[in-house]
Amino acid sequence: MKSASDLATRFSQQLATMAVETNNKKRKRRVANNHTNTSCDDPGTETIPGTCTLCYAAEEAVILYPCEHRTDANAQRIFQGSLVNYPLNDTGKRQADALAEALKHSKIDWILTSQFDRAIETASHVAKYHPQAVSTIDERLREISWGVADGKYIDEVDHMVDPVVDEWNAGDFDARVPEGESANECKARVVAAFADILAKVRQNKHKTVFINTHG
């Protein structure tokens, strides 16, 4: 059996890879759309429950969902990291309802989320079908901090964010936006969170765990 630390590292590596790929895809779409597309980032989000991607379902029966948590900040193309806290808008609520419906037969017994309103609200939609599930807020699952770019319009801060993503792609995971968080710092807290989560999964014999993060 792999150690909790090993599995946590594996989780975080997949999450980090997805985060970089997501940022690259978003940047390409912004260029292709000439910065005018204010619709959901992922095609078909109205038909894909919760706009979420099943990242990993492994030996520990853990389901990881990095969610879009659609808010007015998304619609207005505002950078939404860990320094801003928007609730779900109507689209986000519909996505959360679709996600909850898709997972209602999953027998979830533990729900974890970050401290942000958009994440908590998404998790609450899932929880309504699983009243027996324990709900936990873990601040280590929060979105990465984009520092001075947080809360700004994307078009205004692309010149700061894109070079950082390029440096991550080149292997420099200590790069950061001014006053923001590096990929290595984000990874460190996420690894620690997953190690604790996996230890508790084993200790409490959880069968299906819904981890609602940011992607």
Side-chain angles (χ1 to χ4, degrees), residues 55-68:
C55 179
Y56 190 65
E59 303 96 312
E60 304 302 326
V62 174
I63 300 175
L64 170 64
Y65 276 88
C67 293
E68 181 69 14

Side-chain angles (χ1 to χ4, degrees), residues 1-183:
M1 179 182 292
K2 294 184 178 71
S3 70
S5 178
D6 288 341
L7 285 171
T9 299
R10 186 173 170 186
F11 274 140
S12 67
Q13 288 171 339
Q14 291 190 345
L15 184 60
T17 298
M18 290 180 67
V20 170
E21 290 175 351
T22 298
N23 273 292
N24 286 336
K25 289 177 182 177
K26 288 179 179 179
R27 181 168 54 177
K28 289 176 182 177
R29 279 195 289 271
R30 291 200 299 271
V31 172
N33 295 330
N34 195 28
H35 299 271
T36 60
N37 182 11
T38 58
S39 63
C40 270
D41 287 316
D42 295 314
T45 49
E46 290 302 316
T47 57
I48 300 174
T51 70
C52 298
T53 303
L54 180 60
C55 179
Y56 190 65
E59 303 96 312
E60 304 302 326
V62 174
I63 300 175
L64 170 64
Y65 276 88
C67 293
E68 181 69 14
H69 307 301
R70 186 75 174 171
T71 71
D72 285 342
N74 300 117
Q76 297 168 19
R77 297 181 52 74
I78 293 173
F79 235 101
Q80 189 175 209
S82 65
L83 300 182
V84 292
N85 189 16
Y86 282 76
L88 295 179
N89 62 12
D90 288 342
T91 298
K93 291 174 182 177
R94 289 196 301 271
Q95 293 169 340
D97 280 335
L99 175 62
E101 184 71 22
L103 294 177
K104 68 180 181 180
H105 299 303
S106 297
K107 298 181 179 179
I108 294 169
D109 55 9
W110 191 15
I111 296 173
L112 294 106
T113 184
S114 77
Q115 74 271 33
F116 294 116
D117 290 347
R118 58 194 185 271
I120 292 172
E121 192 172 353
T122 298
S124 71
H125 283 250
V126 174
K128 68 185 178 182
Y129 290 114
H130 307 279
Q132 80 290 345
V134 176
S135 293
T136 302
I137 293 175
D138 191 326
E139 295 187 3
R140 295 172 297 180
L141 299 175
R142 67 187 179 275
E143 174 67 274
I144 193 170
S145 170
W146 291 103
V148 296
D150 268 340
K152 303 288 198 315
Y153 288 103
I154 290 174
D155 292 351
E156 296 176 353
V157 295
D158 269 346
H159 68 283
M160 289 190 291
V161 174
D162 286 351
V164 172
V165 175
D166 287 339
E167 290 185 65
W168 290 351
N169 281 318
D172 179 8
F173 299 110
D174 290 318
R176 73 185 73 218
V177 173
E179 300 180 23
E181 190 175 23
S182 72

